[in-house]
């Protein structure tokens, strides 16, 4: 008996990324645990095994890095995140501080501003009619509302997008364009760190709430800076990409968009379904601390395991008719944000951002059509669109 199932599939190749769902189906057919020979990593791609790996944090460590690089063997490109790239007990304290800053009470206070900004930006896009949806709508909206909430000044916010590419590009193998990109934008990480300092953050924002936790002695001043860095690392591109993909899914499924338009209160569930169907975070890595077993397959210590959230979300053993985009689906066990102690700490924030956006969109826009080829972001850490040509028809006044 062979000791493992292997595949030549390369999740970082343009072909794989152009249609990951076909590749996921192939992987799910091959077996529960597959060894990807091109990168010398293991992967899991079913709902149950992703769940198992992501919840067993004592075996599958985050301290080895969230991407393909093994921090136990290779030096990270920046100081590791003090929430994503650590294990308990260190993780528990920082997670608590971030959770509080993103609590339901805080979100309730932010909602009105999201609604106002969403309504204005959708109205402007609707008035133009023909737009490039990413640069004119699905990117500017998160790039305004999220940094506003953190308390960031207006100037040079495009640097957040550059930094996002640096952060998520580092999740994949080192490629020439990435090294060039890092060189071209080498001043950006410093700019980010300067924005994370206490005196750079507006009163009343969630950035200052992190510093308040430092004042209470729950974290150090340096840790506060690092947790604000987490906001600026993980809070922008993720929502840009997931809102963009959700809008494309709606435009490509007019029957589903009609339901949303008739009942804009479906906005939150529509985004929930898009997070399952086609979303920004397709995969996340763990590193084994000990020899272990997943679905009968032995995995050695100090190995990288790639968890395909995007494939788990299409697993027919958990989701009925998994390839259908159905905005009224009752999703039980969303895995698109990850699960367990490292499940996305900002997920309620992301949902709120998207809910306000798609609600405003449904209230104002009669129909939405994709009018030309869409383009995918090619860096491997996130799935997202860089081009989404759209024709918007506003509702009659
Ligand atoms: C989930 C995530 C992605 C990227 C960066 C970070 C977290 C961070 O904590 O910096």
């Amino acid at each position: 008996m062979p000791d493992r199932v292997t595949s030549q599939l390369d999740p970082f190749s343009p072909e794989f990324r152009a249609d990951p769902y076909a590749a996921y189906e192939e992987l799910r057919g091959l077996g529960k645990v597959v060894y990807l020979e091109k990168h010398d990593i293991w992967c899991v791609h079913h709902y149950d095994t992703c769940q198992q790996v992501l919840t067993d944090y004592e075996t599958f460590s985050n301290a080895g890095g969230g991407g393909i690089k093994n921090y136990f063997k290779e030096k990270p490109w920046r100081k590791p995140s003090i929430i994503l790239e650590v294990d308990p007990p260190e993780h528990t304290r920082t997670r608590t501080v971030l959770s509080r800053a993103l609590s339901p009470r805080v979100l309730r206070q932010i909602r009105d501003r999201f609604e106002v900004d969403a309504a204005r930006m959708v109205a402007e896009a609707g008035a133009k009619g023909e737009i490039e949806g990413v640069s004119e709508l699905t990117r500017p909206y998160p790039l305004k509302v999220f940094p506003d909430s953190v308390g960031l000044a207006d100037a040079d916010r495009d640097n957040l997008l550059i930094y996002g590419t640096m952060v998520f590009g580092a999740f994949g193998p080192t490629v020439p364009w990435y090294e060039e990109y890092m060189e071209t934008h080498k001043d950006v990480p410093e700019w980010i760190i300067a924005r994370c300092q206490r005196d750079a953050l507006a009163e009343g924002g969630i950035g200052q709430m992190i510093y308040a936790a430092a004042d209470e002695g729950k974290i150090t001043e340096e840790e506060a800076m690092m947790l604000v860095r987490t906001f600026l690392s993980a809070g922008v591109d993720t929502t840009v990409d997931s809102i963009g993909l959700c809008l494309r899914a709606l435009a490509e499924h007019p029957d589903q968009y009609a339901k949303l338009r008739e009942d804009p209160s479906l906005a939150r569930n529509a985004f929930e379904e898009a997070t399952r169907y086609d979303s920004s975070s397709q995969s996340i890595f763990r590193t084994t601390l000990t020899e272990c077993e997943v679905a009968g397959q032995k995995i050695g210590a100090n190995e990288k395991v790639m968890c395909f959230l995007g494939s788990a979300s299409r697993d027919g053993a958990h989701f009925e008719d998994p390839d259908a985009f159905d905005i009224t689906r009752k999703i039980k066990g969303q895995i698109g944000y990850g699960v367990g102690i490292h499940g996305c700490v900002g997920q309620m924030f992301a949902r709120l951002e998207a809910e306000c956006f798609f609600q405003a969109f449904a209230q104002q826009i009669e129909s939405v059509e994709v009018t030309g080829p869409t383009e995918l972001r090619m860096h491997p850490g996130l799935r997202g669109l860089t081009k989404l040509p759209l024709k918007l028809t506003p509702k009659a006044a």
Side-chain angles (χ1 to χ4, degrees), residues 78 81-85 167-168 171 226 229-231 233-234 238 284:
R78 60 171 192 167
S81 162
I82 63 168
I83 179 159
L84 175 69
E85 296 169 328
V167 169
F168 288 98
F171 277 52
M226 286 293 284
R229 194 192 75 170
T230 281
F231 282 146
S233 301
T238 47
I284 186 88

PDB file of all heavy atoms in Angstrom, residues 78 81-85 167-168 171 226 229-231 233-234 238 284, ligand 1:
ATOM      1  N   ARG A  78       8.465  39.643   8.154  1.00  0.00           N
ATOM      2  CA  ARG A  78       8.259  40.736   9.109  1.00  0.00           C
ATOM      3  C   ARG A  78       8.082  40.083  10.477  1.00  0.00           C
ATOM      4  O   ARG A  78       7.956  38.859  10.574  1.00  0.00           O
ATOM      5  CB  ARG A  78       7.012  41.565   8.753  1.00  0.00           C
ATOM      6  CG  ARG A  78       5.735  40.753   8.746  1.00  0.00           C
ATOM      7  CD  ARG A  78       4.469  41.603   8.602  1.00  0.00           C
ATOM      8  NE  ARG A  78       3.294  40.761   8.894  1.00  0.00           N
ATOM      9  CZ  ARG A  78       2.083  41.199   9.093  1.00  0.00           C
ATOM     10  NH1 ARG A  78       1.821  42.483   9.009  1.00  0.00           N
ATOM     11  NH2 ARG A  78       1.090  40.369   9.377  1.00  0.00           N
ATOM     12  N   SER A  81       2.796  38.115  13.335  1.00  0.00           N
ATOM     13  CA  SER A  81       1.602  38.649  13.984  1.00  0.00           C
ATOM     14  C   SER A  81       1.488  38.067  15.388  1.00  0.00           C
ATOM     15  O   SER A  81       1.698  36.867  15.581  1.00  0.00           O
ATOM     16  CB  SER A  81       0.377  38.267  13.157  1.00  0.00           C
ATOM     17  OG  SER A  81      -0.795  38.394  13.937  1.00  0.00           O
ATOM     18  N   ILE A  82       1.115  38.903  16.361  1.00  0.00           N
ATOM     19  CA  ILE A  82       0.991  38.397  17.736  1.00  0.00           C
ATOM     20  C   ILE A  82      -0.391  37.818  18.020  1.00  0.00           C
ATOM     21  O   ILE A  82      -0.698  37.440  19.141  1.00  0.00           O
ATOM     22  CB  ILE A  82       1.353  39.476  18.788  1.00  0.00           C
ATOM     23  CG1 ILE A  82       0.387  40.662  18.733  1.00  0.00           C
ATOM     24  CG2 ILE A  82       2.805  39.923  18.623  1.00  0.00           C
ATOM     25  CD1 ILE A  82       0.525  41.617  19.936  1.00  0.00           C
ATOM     26  N   ILE A  83      -1.232  37.739  16.993  1.00  0.00           N
ATOM     27  CA  ILE A  83      -2.500  37.012  17.162  1.00  0.00           C
ATOM     28  C   ILE A  83      -2.634  35.855  16.177  1.00  0.00           C
ATOM     29  O   ILE A  83      -2.998  34.745  16.558  1.00  0.00           O
ATOM     30  CB  ILE A  83      -3.727  37.961  17.141  1.00  0.00           C
ATOM     31  CG1 ILE A  83      -5.024  37.169  17.302  1.00  0.00           C
ATOM     32  CG2 ILE A  83      -3.763  38.821  15.889  1.00  0.00           C
ATOM     33  CD1 ILE A  83      -6.192  37.955  17.785  1.00  0.00           C
ATOM     34  N   LEU A  84      -2.306  36.091  14.904  1.00  0.00           N
ATOM     35  CA  LEU A  84      -2.439  34.999  13.912  1.00  0.00           C
ATOM     36  C   LEU A  84      -1.330  33.972  14.071  1.00  0.00           C
ATOM     37  O   LEU A  84      -1.563  32.769  13.944  1.00  0.00           O
ATOM     38  CB  LEU A  84      -2.385  35.575  12.481  1.00  0.00           C
ATOM     39  CG  LEU A  84      -2.404  34.516  11.365  1.00  0.00           C
ATOM     40  CD1 LEU A  84      -3.757  33.820  11.303  1.00  0.00           C
ATOM     41  CD2 LEU A  84      -2.035  35.108  10.020  1.00  0.00           C
ATOM     42  N   GLU A  85      -0.130  34.443  14.335  1.00  0.00           N
ATOM     43  CA  GLU A  85       1.024  33.555  14.233  1.00  0.00           C
ATOM     44  C   GLU A  85       1.622  33.187  15.595  1.00  0.00           C
ATOM     45  O   GLU A  85       2.840  33.109  15.756  1.00  0.00           O
ATOM     46  CB  GLU A  85       2.054  34.185  13.272  1.00  0.00           C
ATOM     47  CG  GLU A  85       1.432  34.260  11.875  1.00  0.00           C
ATOM     48  CD  GLU A  85       2.208  35.098  10.862  1.00  0.00           C
ATOM     49  OE1 GLU A  85       2.862  36.082  11.242  1.00  0.00           O
ATOM     50  OE2 GLU A  85       2.136  34.756   9.679  1.00  0.00           O
ATOM     51  N   VAL A 167       1.473  41.438   2.630  1.00  0.00           N
ATOM     52  CA  VAL A 167       1.105  40.482   3.684  1.00  0.00           C
ATOM     53  C   VAL A 167       0.595  39.179   3.072  1.00  0.00           C
ATOM     54  O   VAL A 167       1.076  38.090   3.406  1.00  0.00           O
ATOM     55  CB  VAL A 167       0.024  41.085   4.610  1.00  0.00           C
ATOM     56  CG1 VAL A 167      -0.570  40.022   5.529  1.00  0.00           C
ATOM     57  CG2 VAL A 167       0.614  42.228   5.432  1.00  0.00           C
ATOM     58  N   PHE A 168      -0.369  39.278   2.171  1.00  0.00           N
ATOM     59  CA  PHE A 168      -0.990  38.059   1.651  1.00  0.00           C
ATOM     60  C   PHE A 168      -0.148  37.422   0.551  1.00  0.00           C
ATOM     61  O   PHE A 168      -0.204  36.208   0.359  1.00  0.00           O
ATOM     62  CB  PHE A 168      -2.423  38.336   1.209  1.00  0.00           C
ATOM     63  CG  PHE A 168      -3.344  38.542   2.387  1.00  0.00           C
ATOM     64  CD1 PHE A 168      -3.680  39.819   2.821  1.00  0.00           C
ATOM     65  CD2 PHE A 168      -3.830  37.459   3.100  1.00  0.00           C
ATOM     66  CE1 PHE A 168      -4.508  40.004   3.924  1.00  0.00           C
ATOM     67  CE2 PHE A 168      -4.648  37.631   4.206  1.00  0.00           C
ATOM     68  CZ  PHE A 168      -4.992  38.910   4.620  1.00  0.00           C
ATOM     69  N   PHE A 171       2.019  34.723   1.840  1.00  0.00           N
ATOM     70  CA  PHE A 171       1.437  33.415   2.182  1.00  0.00           C
ATOM     71  C   PHE A 171       1.854  32.335   1.185  1.00  0.00           C
ATOM     72  O   PHE A 171       1.800  31.155   1.495  1.00  0.00           O
ATOM     73  CB  PHE A 171      -0.103  33.496   2.218  1.00  0.00           C
ATOM     74  CG  PHE A 171      -0.653  34.009   3.524  1.00  0.00           C
ATOM     75  CD1 PHE A 171      -0.206  35.193   4.077  1.00  0.00           C
ATOM     76  CD2 PHE A 171      -1.637  33.299   4.206  1.00  0.00           C
ATOM     77  CE1 PHE A 171      -0.718  35.661   5.283  1.00  0.00           C
ATOM     78  CE2 PHE A 171      -2.153  33.768   5.419  1.00  0.00           C
ATOM     79  CZ  PHE A 171      -1.692  34.942   5.958  1.00  0.00           C
ATOM     80  N   MET A 226       1.261  46.365  17.661  1.00  0.00           N
ATOM     81  CA  MET A 226       1.200  45.159  16.815  1.00  0.00           C
ATOM     82  C   MET A 226      -0.244  44.726  16.523  1.00  0.00           C
ATOM     83  O   MET A 226      -0.527  44.170  15.465  1.00  0.00           O
ATOM     84  CB  MET A 226       1.967  44.011  17.485  1.00  0.00           C
ATOM     85  CG  MET A 226       3.468  44.163  17.415  1.00  0.00           C
ATOM     86  SD  MET A 226       4.114  44.033  15.724  1.00  0.00           S
ATOM     87  CE  MET A 226       4.006  42.244  15.478  1.00  0.00           C
ATOM     88  N   ARG A 229      -1.510  46.855  13.917  1.00  0.00           N
ATOM     89  CA  ARG A 229      -0.941  46.354  12.659  1.00  0.00           C
ATOM     90  C   ARG A 229      -1.790  45.203  12.092  1.00  0.00           C
ATOM     91  O   ARG A 229      -1.970  45.085  10.879  1.00  0.00           O
ATOM     92  CB  ARG A 229       0.511  45.893  12.861  1.00  0.00           C
ATOM     93  CG  ARG A 229       1.262  45.677  11.556  1.00  0.00           C
ATOM     94  CD  ARG A 229       2.592  44.948  11.746  1.00  0.00           C
ATOM     95  NE  ARG A 229       2.398  43.522  12.009  1.00  0.00           N
ATOM     96  CZ  ARG A 229       3.376  42.617  12.018  1.00  0.00           C
ATOM     97  NH1 ARG A 229       4.641  42.988  11.803  1.00  0.00           N
ATOM     98  NH2 ARG A 229       3.120  41.349  12.274  1.00  0.00           N
ATOM     99  N   THR A 230      -2.304  44.372  12.977  1.00  0.00           N
ATOM    100  CA  THR A 230      -3.193  43.289  12.525  1.00  0.00           C
ATOM    101  C   THR A 230      -4.423  43.853  11.821  1.00  0.00           C
ATOM    102  O   THR A 230      -4.821  43.365  10.760  1.00  0.00           O
ATOM    103  CB  THR A 230      -3.588  42.380  13.710  1.00  0.00           C
ATOM    104  OG1 THR A 230      -2.503  41.487  13.976  1.00  0.00           O
ATOM    105  CG2 THR A 230      -4.828  41.555  13.409  1.00  0.00           C
ATOM    106  N   PHE A 231      -5.030  44.907  12.398  1.00  0.00           N
ATOM    107  CA  PHE A 231      -6.163  45.547  11.711  1.00  0.00           C
ATOM    108  C   PHE A 231      -5.778  45.951  10.294  1.00  0.00           C
ATOM    109  O   PHE A 231      -6.501  45.688   9.339  1.00  0.00           O
ATOM    110  CB  PHE A 231      -6.584  46.839  12.438  1.00  0.00           C
ATOM    111  CG  PHE A 231      -7.402  46.634  13.686  1.00  0.00           C
ATOM    112  CD1 PHE A 231      -7.272  47.509  14.762  1.00  0.00           C
ATOM    113  CD2 PHE A 231      -8.327  45.608  13.777  1.00  0.00           C
ATOM    114  CE1 PHE A 231      -8.039  47.353  15.904  1.00  0.00           C
ATOM    115  CE2 PHE A 231      -9.096  45.436  14.924  1.00  0.00           C
ATOM    116  CZ  PHE A 231      -8.950  46.314  15.992  1.00  0.00           C
ATOM    117  N   SER A 233      -3.385  44.915   8.491  1.00  0.00           N
ATOM    118  CA  SER A 233      -2.925  43.807   7.647  1.00  0.00           C
ATOM    119  C   SER A 233      -4.091  42.985   7.116  1.00  0.00           C
ATOM    120  O   SER A 233      -4.114  42.602   5.952  1.00  0.00           O
ATOM    121  CB  SER A 233      -2.031  42.862   8.455  1.00  0.00           C
ATOM    122  OG  SER A 233      -0.916  43.539   8.975  1.00  0.00           O
ATOM    123  N   ALA A 234      -5.022  42.696   8.007  1.00  0.00           N
ATOM    124  CA  ALA A 234      -6.040  41.686   7.693  1.00  0.00           C
ATOM    125  C   ALA A 234      -7.411  42.277   7.424  1.00  0.00           C
ATOM    126  O   ALA A 234      -8.321  41.554   7.031  1.00  0.00           O
ATOM    127  CB  ALA A 234      -6.134  40.691   8.857  1.00  0.00           C
ATOM    128  N   THR A 238      -9.100  41.710   2.529  1.00  0.00           N
ATOM    129  CA  THR A 238     -10.031  40.600   2.735  1.00  0.00           C
ATOM    130  C   THR A 238     -11.466  41.019   2.406  1.00  0.00           C
ATOM    131  O   THR A 238     -12.187  40.317   1.716  1.00  0.00           O
ATOM    132  CB  THR A 238      -9.966  40.154   4.199  1.00  0.00           C
ATOM    133  OG1 THR A 238     -10.029  41.335   5.017  1.00  0.00           O
ATOM    134  CG2 THR A 238      -8.682  39.404   4.501  1.00  0.00           C
ATOM    135  N   ILE A 284      -5.589  28.421   4.315  1.00  0.00           N
ATOM    136  CA  ILE A 284      -4.778  28.875   5.445  1.00  0.00           C
ATOM    137  C   ILE A 284      -3.909  27.692   5.871  1.00  0.00           C
ATOM    138  O   ILE A 284      -4.301  26.552   5.701  1.00  0.00           O
ATOM    139  CB  ILE A 284      -5.694  29.389   6.595  1.00  0.00           C
ATOM    140  CG1 ILE A 284      -4.904  30.001   7.736  1.00  0.00           C
ATOM    141  CG2 ILE A 284      -6.614  28.304   7.123  1.00  0.00           C
ATOM    142  CD1 ILE A 284      -4.623  31.458   7.551  1.00  0.00           C
TER     143      ILE A 284
HETATM  144  C1  LIG B   1      -5.742  36.754   9.463  1.00  0.00           C
HETATM  145  C2  LIG B   1      -4.545  37.597   9.202  1.00  0.00           C
HETATM  146  C3  LIG B   1      -4.075  37.738   7.935  1.00  0.00           C
HETATM  147  C4  LIG B   1      -2.973  38.526   7.713  1.00  0.00           C
HETATM  148  C5  LIG B   1      -2.359  39.171   8.756  1.00  0.00           C
HETATM  149  C6  LIG B   1      -2.809  39.042  10.035  1.00  0.00           C
HETATM  150  C7  LIG B   1      -3.914  38.247  10.257  1.00  0.00           C
HETATM  151  C8  LIG B   1      -2.136  39.737  11.164  1.00  0.00           C
HETATM  152  O1  LIG B   1      -2.473  39.475  12.300  1.00  0.00           O
HETATM  153  O2  LIG B   1      -1.259  40.567  10.907  1.00  0.00           O
END
